[in-house]
Amino acid sequence: MSRRPRLYAPELPPRGQATDGQLVTLAPAASARLAQVLRARPGDEVALFDGHGSEYLAQVETPDKRSCKLRLGHLLRSGPPPTGRLHLLQAAIKSGLEGVIQQATELGATDITIFGAQRSAPASLRQDRAVRIATGATEQSGRLFPPTVTLVDSFSAAIERATGERLIALPDAAALGAASNCDSATIAIGPEGGFTSSEVEHALGANFHPFGLGPLTLRAATAGPAALACWHQIRAWQVHP
């Protein structure tokens, strides 16, 4: 391997119980990726993170496609969980949904909820597939904590999961202004045909505030990542890994 890969390994022992030289066996999915996709060899170095704030150096011992064994090395880095939450409520769309999950993860979303809006196309994405996409993006982007990914049936169910400042993207609304004092936000993005009037009314009644993404017409798959980037920009990109 030309560069050290990162792999999500929730099976790592809890921090404080992991020891230098300890043997760790990866789960089948991570093992298959390491052995078959990355073509790891004995002695190759890998970074393993547990999803709870710790990342370790490890050395491949047995590159088996079902149960790779690695020797733990020293702690590479650690960190606390994010103090704020950045939650994307994304309506199910006909195409591009996997890309939304990937980019939202890369842009630091702590929670991603995919919901069936009244104008949504039938969603073919399964929960397990959505989680795998977010996991891969977490590995690639250097994050210590993967986002939660949830699929719900309706916008009403998605709204119930909202935290912090509540924002809904609507045509002709004003752009996001100065950063608020709230360190958490929930951003709602509609499907290709937009939110219905009843969905907008419901959101406004739940204290969502409209915002716009400029005069250009964005694809539904572009709007979510664009909104997350706007949020980070007005907060000077204070993104926790």
Side-chain angles (χ1 to χ4, degrees), residues 67-158:
S67 58
C68 276
K69 291 181 171 52
L70 301 96
R71 292 280 178 191
L72 280 188
H74 61 273
L75 182 70
L76 290 172
R77 60 181 178 137
S78 63
T83 55
R85 311 297 297 180
L86 180 56
H87 192 167
L88 176 65
L89 306 184
Q90 171 67 56
I93 52 180
K94 186 174 182 180
S95 64
L97 193 53
E98 293 189 2
V100 172
I101 294 171
Q102 177 183 337
Q103 293 173 57
T105 302
E106 293 173 1
L107 286 164
T110 59
D111 305 271
I112 303 169
T113 298
I114 308 299
F115 63 92
Q118 293 178 24
R119 291 174 177 160
S120 279
S124 58
L125 186 65
R126 301 191 313 272
Q127 174 81 30
D128 58 344
R129 172 63 179 164
V131 170
R132 283 199 301 273
I133 293 166
T135 298
T138 303
E139 294 171 341
Q140 180 275 326
S141 62
R143 292 180 56 171
L144 287 173
F145 298 88
T148 64
V149 184
T150 309
L151 277 61
V152 298
D153 293 333
S154 66
F155 189 35
S156 296

Side-chain angles (χ1 to χ4, degrees), residues 30-60:
S31 294
R33 184 180 171 209
L34 188 59
Q36 294 183 305
V37 178
L38 298 174
R39 298 187 180 278
R41 305 292 186 199
D44 285 345
E45 289 187 342
V46 180
L48 300 179
F49 65 101
D50 59 9
H52 299 289
S54 298
E55 181 172 329
Y56 299 87
L57 181 68
Q59 192 172 67
V60 177

Side-chain angles (χ1 to χ4, degrees), residues 160-175:
E160 292 177 0
R161 302 175 57 83
T163 57
E165 184 176 7
R166 301 179 176 205
L167 303 165
I168 180 171
L170 295 177
D172 302 323

